[in-house]
């Protein structure tokens, strides 16, 4: 597990606070997928990955736990790594190739992306989420790379 049980419960609670009618089990799955997404971004900077709209809710909840989030970025990507979030929203944007690439990157890390949470935005999704944020087709996720050693060009 990438975070402690207590941290997970806290992040899941943040998802549930933002989405009062959401079942605890669904909120937990969203956090799990947010963690997988973070790991993919931190370990594969520059690949142009993006979360589905519902997974983005889990990522937002992780970001709100700032100290844990910063530690997690460094644990996953190495010292100096930080996965930044630059929100944008256009409900017409949905880019399956970016989501496919993200799911493939998650699989390469040894996890399976939850197919119910990585689909297109629609009324038939497993859960409606509060976040108004979209990261495709122009992915705005930036991973700050490890700093260069002094004197190295």
């Amino acid at each position: 597990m990438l975070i402690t049980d207590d941290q997970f419960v806290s992040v899941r609670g943040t998802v549930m606070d933002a989405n009062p009618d959401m079942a605890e089990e669904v909120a937990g799955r969203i956090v799990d997928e947010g963690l997988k997404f973070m790991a993919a971004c931190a370990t594969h900077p520059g690949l142009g990955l993006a979360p589905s709209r519902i997974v983005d809710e889990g990522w937002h909840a992780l970001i709100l736990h700032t100290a844990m989030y910063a530690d997690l970025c460094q644990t996953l990507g190495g010292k100096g790594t930080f996965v930044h979030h630059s929100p944008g929203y256009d409900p017409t944007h949905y880019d399956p190739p970016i989501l496919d690439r993200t799911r493939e990157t998650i699989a390469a890390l040894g996890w399976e992306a939850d197919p119910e949470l990585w689909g297109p935005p629609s009324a038939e999704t497993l859960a409606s989420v509060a976040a108004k944020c979209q990261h495709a087709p122009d992915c705005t996720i930036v991973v700050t790379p490890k700093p260069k050693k002094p004197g190295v060009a």
Side-chain angles (χ1 to χ4, degrees):
M1 180 168 257
L2 298 174
I3 57 177
T4 68
D5 289 342
D6 287 343
Q7 290 171 327
F8 183 87
V9 168
S10 182
V11 176
R12 183 183 62 203
T14 300
V15 171
M16 292 172 67
D17 287 346
N19 303 278
D21 296 327
M22 185 176 287
E24 186 176 287
E25 181 268 337
V26 173
R29 287 170 56 195
I30 290 170
V31 173
D32 282 337
E33 297 307 303
L35 287 163
K36 293 173 190 177
F37 172 71
M38 269 192 70
C41 288
T43 58
H44 294 81
L47 198 53
L49 306 178
S52 68
R53 179 135 181 259
I54 197 166
V55 172
D56 196 43
E57 185 79 10
W59 187 28
H60 288 191
L62 288 161
I63 291 168
L64 290 174
H65 293 75
T66 58
M68 179 201 70
Y69 183 80
D71 289 345
L72 185 57
C73 287
Q74 295 214 7
T75 297
L76 293 168
K79 186 175 180 175
T81 297
F82 193 84
V83 181
H84 290 277
H85 179 279
S86 301
Y89 182 67
D90 181 344
T92 64
H93 286 179
Y94 169 63
D95 194 333
I98 290 175
L99 294 180
D100 289 344
R101 183 170 56 244
T102 304
R103 285 190 300 265
E104 290 165 4
T105 304
I106 288 169
L109 292 172
W111 294 304
E112 181 182 349
D114 186 326
E116 287 186 304
L117 300 181
W118 282 94
S122 72
E124 292 78 42
T125 58
L126 181 64
S128 177
V129 293
K132 294 288 186 206
C133 194
Q134 195 77 20
H135 297 284
D138 297 318
C139 184
T140 56
I141 295 159
V142 178
V143 178
T144 302
K146 295 178 186 179
K148 294 183 179 177
K149 293 180 180 175
V152 177

